[in-house]
Amino acid sequence: MYKGIWNFITKYMDESHAVSVFLPVMIVGWTLAGLLAGIAVCAVTGTALLTALADLVCAGGYAGLIFGLFGGAFFLFRKGI
């Protein structure tokens, strides 16, 4: 997944500027994925969204930080950029 997004971004800009776009895209994407996963869990368990709002935002933020920022940085490190 990281490679596909990297290739898509570098298709439209050079690698020096692509890093500035790649990491924020990864952070936002993983944050949204974490939020959607939390909303799905709330829907399955029957928990009210307003009751679990702080937990959802926290889970989305951690997903964005760990998988988005750190995962993207490790991907770029392995590519040698």
Side-chain angles (χ1 to χ4, degrees):
M1 178 182 77
Y2 290 93
K3 185 176 181 180
I5 294 173
W6 177 256
N7 289 337
F8 180 77
I9 291 172
T10 55
K11 185 182 349 178
Y12 296 105
M13 60 182 57
D14 60 345
E15 285 190 3
S16 63
H17 294 97
V19 174
S20 304
V21 176
F22 178 72
L23 288 177
V25 165
M26 295 306 298
I27 293 169
V28 169
W30 278 105
T31 301
L32 290 176
L35 286 172
L36 291 175
I39 290 171
V41 168
C42 285
V44 169
T45 60
T47 306
L49 286 177
L50 289 178
T51 308
L53 188 60
D55 296 333
L56 290 173
V57 171
C58 187
Y62 277 119
L65 182 68
I66 294 168
F67 298 116
L69 179 63
F70 294 143
F74 286 136
F75 171 78
L76 292 174
F77 181 72
R78 269 193 353 226
K79 282 190 74 65
I81 296 172

